[in-house]
Amino acid sequence: MSKHGATKRTTTAQLQAMKGVRPIVSLTAYTTPMARLLDEHCDMLLVGDSLGMVLYGLPSTVAVTMEMMIAHGQAVMRGVTSACVIVDLPFGSYQESREQAFRSAARIMAETGCDGVKLEGGAEMAETVAFLTARGVPVCGHVGLMPQQVNTTGGYRSLGRSDKEADKIRNDAQAIADAGAFAIVVEGTIEPLAREITAAIAAPTIGIGASPACDGQVLVCDDMLGLFNDFKPRFVKHFAELAPLVSQAAAAYAEEVKARTFPGPEHTFQPKK
Ligand code: KIV
């Protein structure tokens, strides 16, 4: 059973209808085993292009490819029975034209079976969002801090403190919502602006570093599990500390292998008597 009482996955329409009812719960997922663990707890699983940094050690999301997104989208779909699965359109797969965006989105949806796509961008992407939505592709927008634009915006920092920045994010969110996005990720913005946008637009806002004023929250799963302990942005909370556990387990394994205490008799096959 899904969180909505049906035996199928949560739809983008159901996510949209959750605005004003209860907060949307979302995490990223990139693999089948993790999707299996997260599925029952999340309304939406996002196969984010953050996988480029989290899984592949890339310096940003810019080099992530369609092939990576499709492979991980397929992996997540194998682990999910109830959450809505949204796959990121990678950098360069949708910005050129609305037709290019449709081809990329249609390929991702057909090859993964996911429920919709996410794309980054504000007013300049509104026409594309309307084009995709009118042709059967549910679109989640992404405004505020847009990691795919890090090379032109100059880094990862929270936005919206100046009137100029706030006006742009406000207009971006309104344009993407008016174009038909079923939800909008709002990343790295100050609380009053997130609250204002959430009140102004019809689509639910899903915040990451954008305060509790949003209609839902998303975090990178590996961040919230404490799998990275070298850098922790202010907006991340570690709900577990898995990095030291992994390290301790690897150390214990290495010790037992070197001491020849692993594998023990209980892990060893013997000829039949
Ligand atoms: O790529 C990603 O994981 C994302 C979320 C952080 C919102 O876009």
Side-chain angles (χ1 to χ4, degrees), residues 2-15:
S2 83
K3 275 86 48 187
H4 299 275
T7 48
K8 51 186 170 47
R9 291 201 313 277
T10 300
T11 64
T12 56
Q14 285 170 323
L15 290 179

Side-chain angles (χ1 to χ4, degrees), residues 28 46 48-50 88 118 142 185 208 218 220:
T28 64
L46 172 67
D49 61 353
S50 52
D88 262 348
K118 176 166 83 56
H142 184 149
V185 167
I208 174 162
V218 61
V220 168

Side-chain angles (χ1 to χ4, degrees), residues 27-30 44 46-51 54 61 69 88 118 120 142 147-148 185-187 206-208 218-221 223 235:
L27 284 169
T28 64
Y30 315 122
M44 174 175 129
L46 172 67
V47 186
D49 61 353
S50 52
L51 63 81
V54 176
T61 56
M69 296 313 300
D88 262 348
K118 176 166 83 56
E120 294 180 15
H142 184 149
Q148 291 181 6
V185 167
V186 179
E187 179 163 359
I206 304 179
I208 174 162
V218 61
L219 279 179
V220 168
C221 180
D223 281 343
F235 62 84

Side-chain angles (χ1 to χ4, degrees), residues 196-271:
E196 199 190 315
I197 290 170
T198 300
I201 66 174
T205 54
I206 304 179
I208 174 162
S211 87
C214 295
D215 294 305
Q217 298 293 325
V218 61
L219 279 179
V220 168
C221 180
D222 300 55
D223 281 343
M224 103 47 210
L225 292 175
L227 276 165
F228 296 127
N229 44 13
D230 39 351
F231 174 65
K232 180 171 145 336
R234 180 188 171 91
F235 62 84
V236 170
K237 175 173 173 180
H238 288 182
F239 287 82
E241 293 293 349
L242 294 194
L245 291 182
V246 173
S247 191
Q248 280 158 27
Y253 169 73
E255 210 169 285
E256 291 196 22
V257 169
K258 287 177 198 158
R260 294 191 186 281
T261 53
F262 177 82
E266 70 276 34
H267 310 117
T268 304
F269 299 108
Q270 298 295 349

Side-chain angles (χ1 to χ4, degrees), residues 23-272:
I24 294 171
V25 180
S26 181
L27 284 169
T28 64
Y30 315 122
T31 65
T32 307
M34 193 58 85
R36 279 199 187 113
L37 291 170
L38 304 180
D39 186 32
E40 65 172 306
H41 307 290
C42 292
D43 302 303
M44 174 175 129
L45 288 181
L46 172 67
V47 186
D49 61 353
S50 52
L51 63 81
M53 299 164 87
V54 176
L55 298 186
Y56 291 85
L58 293 168
S60 77
T61 56
V62 169
V64 172
T65 63
M66 283 286 285
E67 285 66 32
M68 287 179 188
M69 296 313 300
I70 288 169
H72 289 281
Q74 289 170 339
V76 167
M77 286 300 293
R78 281 179 217 120
V80 165
T81 57
S82 75
C84 183
V85 178
I86 301 302
V87 177
D88 262 348
L89 288 176
F91 180 67
S93 73
Y94 63 95
Q95 291 92 342
E96 190 180 337
S97 67
R98 53 194 201 167
E99 288 79 10
Q100 183 211 23
F102 182 78
R103 273 193 300 279
S104 300
R107 183 175 165 210
I108 284 185
M109 289 191 68
E111 293 187 28
T112 67
C114 72
D115 303 290
V117 298
K118 176 166 83 56
L119 58 80
E120 294 180 15
E124 77 288 356
M125 293 308 301
E127 199 190 323
T128 297
V129 172
F131 189 84
L132 297 190
T133 316
R135 285 158 183 77
V137 179
V139 179
C140 180
H142 184 149
V143 303
L145 172 59
M146 293 184 267
Q148 291 181 6
Q149 298 187 14
V150 71
N151 288 315
T152 48
T153 53
Y156 302 94
R157 63 176 184 89
S158 58
L159 300 166
R161 286 186 185 81
S162 72
D163 287 349
K164 193 175 164 208
E165 278 178 5
D167 283 348
K168 177 172 169 12
I169 297 168
R170 201 182 285 116
N171 293 340
D172 283 349
Q174 191 68 63
I176 295 298
D178 291 349
F182 73 84
I184 302 185
V185 167
V186 179
E187 179 163 359
T189 47
I190 56 169
E191 179 166 11
L193 181 59
R195 177 167 291 110
E196 199 190 315
I197 290 170
T198 300
I201 66 174
T205 54
I206 304 179
I208 174 162
S211 87
C214 295
D215 294 305
Q217 298 293 325
V218 61
L219 279 179
V220 168
C221 180
D222 300 55
D223 281 343
M224 103 47 210
L225 292 175
L227 276 165
F228 296 127
N229 44 13
D230 39 351
F231 174 65
K232 180 171 145 336
R234 180 188 171 91
F235 62 84
V236 170
K237 175 173 173 180
H238 288 182
F239 287 82
E241 293 293 349
L242 294 194
L245 291 182
V246 173
S247 191
Q248 280 158 27
Y253 169 73
E255 210 169 285
E256 291 196 22
V257 169
K258 287 177 198 158
R260 294 191 186 281
T261 53
F262 177 82
E266 70 276 34
H267 310 117
T268 304
F269 299 108
Q270 298 295 349
K272 283 199 173 75

